[in-house]
Amino acid sequence: MSQRTVRHFLQIPDFSRQELLDTLDLAARMKRGEYTEKPLAGKTLAMIFAKSSTRTRVSFEVGTVQLGGHALFLSSRDIQLGRGEPIRDMARVLSRYVDGIMIRTFDQQDLVDLATYGSVPIINGLTDLLHPCQIMADLLTIQENFGADLSGVKVAWVGDGNNMANSWLNAAYRLGFELRLAYPAGYEPDAAILERARGAANIITTRDPAEAVAGADVVNTDVWASMGQEDESAKRAADFQGYCITEEMMETATDRAVFLHCLPAHRGEEVTEGVLEGPRSRVWDEAENRLHVQKAIMATLMG
């Protein structure tokens, strides 16, 4: 294969501030139907799923087709990865067949190995450490409600310091908005990611969800036990008592505040039915926006 510069989207800081804003602008134009090009015509995206998914699979597959390309669904059971083939071997082989690889997996190192040994763009569909495509969809949703300039928006994250919290920190690091993180002891975000973000944005950490939500423009959360943590559900339910987003809590946010959730949601646990289905909820727009931002990322990297 000919040598060329290959760019990846493993984490939000892989793109500069301007590149992130340009990608969001492209996604918005795609959503409005103003972009009709087919930059993936004749190209194939391999989609590797070590973790199952609804939104990630459907949005990437539909998005690839809409851009003129073809998507291959590859679960761990379908390929030799499930029988112990090293990631570095698979990366070099798949790079000779396809034009890009999206992976949704557990270990961040799998993603790094793909990018190190592969020779096509790699996109992070989710790892236990990061979920950048979801945050890009969230940022597009925020822009739709508050305008393109994100610098004055105050974002509250309530719950686990998980891959979503880490990716919110990465977004604040690049874009400079205020981020409030509320999490119980023992559920802290990645220390290095937190420290880096603090050097570029106003990052507030607290054990009190009410403190994070009060005066926020965006309130968002996630399930308390993510995929692979089901055996911890009872302990987490106890540890996260008081962290449910309720109508009363939303009333302390700004008058313009919206609620986000990356889904699937457990009604009555991390969020009440009234908030999820209420007038401030933007979760369905947010879910749709996965399609548009991922199309923009693929067009940028693979087009």
Side-chain angles (χ1 to χ4, degrees):
M1 298 177 67
S2 61
Q3 293 297 310
R4 61 183 177 86
T5 301
V6 177
R7 295 202 61 192
H8 308 295
F9 190 67
L10 311 186
Q11 57 176 326
I12 284 174
D14 285 347
F15 283 15
S16 69
R17 172 187 171 86
Q18 191 57 53
E19 287 170 335
L20 290 172
L21 295 175
D22 289 346
T23 303
L24 291 169
D25 179 68
L26 176 57
R29 290 193 288 121
M30 288 175 165
K31 185 174 184 177
R32 293 193 298 265
E34 298 171 4
Y35 182 96
T36 58
E37 298 175 37
K38 303 293 183 184
L40 301 191
K43 297 184 178 182
T44 299
L45 175 74
M47 306 187 304
I48 302 171
F49 284 88
K51 284 188 175 185
S52 59
S53 167
T54 300
R55 281 153 291 277
T56 299
R57 179 180 177 179
V58 175
S59 56
F60 267 107
E61 191 160 339
V62 170
T64 303
V65 171
Q66 290 182 357
L67 294 178
H70 175 70
L72 287 172
F73 172 76
L74 305 170
S75 76
S76 297
R77 297 182 302 274
D78 299 326
I79 56 179
Q80 296 297 332
L81 183 64
R83 298 176 61 193
E85 181 174 24
I87 284 278
R88 61 182 183 272
D89 293 357
M90 185 181 65
R92 288 177 284 197
V93 171
L94 285 181
S95 293
R96 304 210 173 200
Y97 297 149
V98 303
D99 303 282
I101 301 171
M102 184 282 298
I103 184 169
R104 181 178 168 93
T105 188
F106 295 88
D107 191 351
Q108 181 76 10
Q109 190 59 46
D110 289 346
L111 187 75
V112 173
D113 288 347
L114 266 181
T116 300
Y117 291 96
S119 55
V120 296
I122 310 299
I123 300 172
N124 183 355
L126 175 141
T127 66
D128 286 347
L129 182 67
L130 297 170
H131 198 359
C133 288
Q134 179 64 58
I135 298 302
M136 290 294 285
D138 295 358
L139 293 172
L140 178 59
T141 310
I142 294 170
Q143 286 185 330
E144 289 174 340
N145 285 272
F146 303 131
D149 182 9
L150 297 166
S151 60
V153 176
K154 295 178 173 63
V155 178
W157 170 261
V158 176
D160 193 2
N162 60 9
N163 50 12
M164 286 288 293
N166 290 332
S167 292
W168 271 117
L169 285 165
N170 278 340
Y173 165 68
R174 270 288 182 251
L175 298 174
F177 54 82
E178 180 176 305
L179 177 64
R180 297 106 165 265
L181 300 171
Y183 47 82
Y187 295 92
E188 291 79 7
D190 182 85
I193 293 174
L194 174 60
E195 193 61 31
R196 179 172 66 176
R198 278 187 162 143
N202 184 21
I203 308 297
I204 300 165
T205 60
T206 178
R207 303 285 187 228
D208 183 3
E211 180 183 352
V213 172
D217 301 304
V218 180
V219 179
N220 68 127
T221 188
D222 192 6
V223 295
W224 292 339
S226 298
M227 194 176 301
Q229 299 171 335
E230 289 82 2
D231 58 343
E232 303 174 19
S233 293
K235 180 181 187 304
R236 285 172 172 264
D239 292 344
F240 283 94
Q241 284 303 305
Y243 280 77
C244 179
I245 305 297
T246 64
E247 292 92 327
E248 293 76 19
M249 193 180 291
M250 286 298 299
E251 285 302 313
T252 71
T254 61
D255 291 340
R256 67 176 188 167
V258 298
F259 173 76
L260 302 180
H261 191 306
C262 59
L263 300 179
H266 293 166
R267 291 162 168 84
E269 291 186 13
E270 74 275 2
V271 61
T272 63
E273 173 88 8
V275 171
L276 189 70
E277 298 289 355
R280 293 175 181 259
S281 177
R282 299 293 184 274
V283 296
W284 318 116
D285 295 335
E286 177 189 8
E288 178 189 345
N289 285 340
R290 286 289 299 277
L291 171 66
H292 307 299
V293 298
Q294 288 161 189
K295 285 169 63 177
I297 291 166
M298 288 189 289
T300 298
L301 296 179
M302 298 170 58

